[in-house]
Amino acid sequence: MVSFSFRLLHSELPQYLGIPQDSLDRLYAMHAVIKRILQNLQDGKAEDGNSLHLSADSQSASEQLWKGREVRVLYTIAHSLLAVKDYNLAVQVYKQLLLKDEGSQVKLWGGIGRLYLQIGCETEAKMSFDQADALDINPTPSSKCQRTLNRGYLKVSQGSFQEALELFQDASATDANNISAVNNLAVCLLYLGRLKEAITMLEGIIHSNPAVNIHEGAVFNLATLYELESSRALNKKQALLELVSKHQGDGFQVSSLKMG
């Protein structure tokens, strides 16, 4: 008998080998099996469809188990869709999760809003961010930071880089260790013609805590800034590669360093 976790891992592996469609095929097959099991349980049958009487407690526990597994599979499907840049379908999957993972609705609405920005739907993105804000009844410093970041993303999509810069500065002040805030702050500085400041900021956050802050997006942006700064970009990238090799495992995408 193969455990559920191994089956899920088996479904995920192809996307890391460059064949994401195989991952999606396996994941959707898993989801179909889970839906069939849940239907059997709701019909008062055993998980495999046999007419076996289950106690109310056993049936409830089994339903909760498989509903949790369905949520895990749907998140993995959404992640795989993002990997192949199928943002429209990813939005549909995340909207399914709004009903199945109610405790994560604030984060889900925020993620949906960012996906809408990826496909150029500013109105839908703003509505999604507003929905996330409305559901965030007891905001934490982290959720306040994310709320400000979302507003910053909207300003970037509108080309208002100075306003976005101010929002990202507020987000960074709320949570100084938020790599996304600093990364987007550096991007805004670049668009405002402040290249040196952008490099200094990204270098500072990465070197301050490399074990935590070496993020592929930040490394990619820093490598790009090095290329724009001088002809010594390769030397600086090599130094960055050494830092990555010390603090990150084999799963890190070295292509983000743009060494090729």
Side-chain angles (χ1 to χ4, degrees):
M1 180 68 71
V2 180
S3 71
F4 173 81
S5 295
F6 273 114
R7 291 180 188 274
L8 186 58
L9 179 61
H10 175 259
S11 299
E12 288 183 88
L13 281 175
Q15 71 174 305
Y16 298 111
L17 299 173
I19 40 179
Q21 190 56 53
D22 283 8
S23 272
L24 286 168
D25 290 343
R26 294 178 185 181
L27 289 165
Y28 275 113
M30 282 189 73
H31 188 224
V33 170
I34 292 171
K35 288 171 66 178
R36 187 163 63 247
I37 289 172
L38 284 170
Q39 187 60 56
N40 288 337
L41 291 168
Q42 289 163 11
D43 292 341
K45 300 177 182 178
E47 294 172 347
D48 60 2
N50 288 329
S51 300
L52 178 67
H53 176 72
L54 296 175
S55 67
D57 288 344
S58 295
Q59 183 173 354
S60 176
S62 189
E63 280 191 34
Q64 290 304 311
L65 172 68
W66 284 101
K67 284 179 180 179
R69 288 177 171 179
E70 182 182 25
V71 166
R72 286 179 63 187
V73 169
L74 285 173
Y75 273 116
T76 307
I77 288 173
H79 178 73
S80 298
L81 290 169
L82 292 178
V84 297
K85 294 182 171 54
D86 192 339
Y87 301 124
N88 286 297
L89 194 51
V91 166
Q92 294 179 33
V93 175
Y94 281 125
K95 285 186 174 180
Q96 290 182 56
L97 283 162
L98 287 169
L99 302 175
K100 299 178 184 295
D101 188 16
E102 294 182 358
S104 300
Q105 285 189 344
V106 173
K107 291 181 179 180
L108 284 167
W109 275 118
I112 289 169
R114 292 190 290 278
L115 285 177
Y116 274 132
L117 285 180
Q118 290 277 6
I119 55 180
C121 300
E122 287 184 19
T123 302
E124 289 81 356
K126 185 178 184 305
M127 290 172 60
S128 299
F129 293 149
D130 288 342
Q131 188 67 35
D133 292 350
L135 290 169
D136 193 14
I137 301 172
N138 298 307
T140 63
S142 177
S143 66
K144 288 179 182 177
C145 178
Q146 189 58 61
R147 182 182 298 187
T148 308
L149 283 173
N150 290 340
R151 300 302 166 191
Y153 299 143
L154 274 173
K155 292 300 181 182
V156 169
S157 71
Q158 296 162 2
S160 302
F161 295 109
Q162 183 59 47
E163 293 179 62
L165 176 71
E166 293 168 3
L167 286 166
F168 292 140
Q169 285 173 332
D170 290 344
S172 181
T174 304
D175 184 359
N177 295 318
N178 190 305
I179 185 67
S180 293
V182 177
N183 195 26
N184 284 285
L185 191 52
V187 171
C188 286
L189 287 169
L190 171 64
Y191 277 103
L192 291 170
R194 297 158 64 179
L195 176 60
K196 294 285 187 182
E197 290 179 62
I199 291 174
T200 300
M201 180 162 291
L202 274 182
E203 286 180 336
I205 190 71
I206 288 175
H207 286 277
S208 66
N209 191 355
V212 175
N213 292 335
I214 292 183
H215 180 276
E216 288 172 8
V219 168
F220 178 85
N221 284 344
L222 184 55
T224 303
L225 294 176
Y226 283 154
E227 291 175 353
L228 296 171
E229 181 196 25
S230 72
S231 58
R232 295 183 61 252
L234 185 58
N235 292 335
K236 293 188 175 183
K237 288 182 188 179
Q238 287 173 339
L240 190 56
L241 176 60
E242 291 177 10
L243 189 67
V244 168
S245 65
K246 288 179 182 178
H247 298 280
Q248 295 294 318
D250 293 338
F252 189 87
Q253 294 292 325
V254 181
S255 58
S256 62
L257 284 157
K258 304 173 71 175
M259 300 286 284

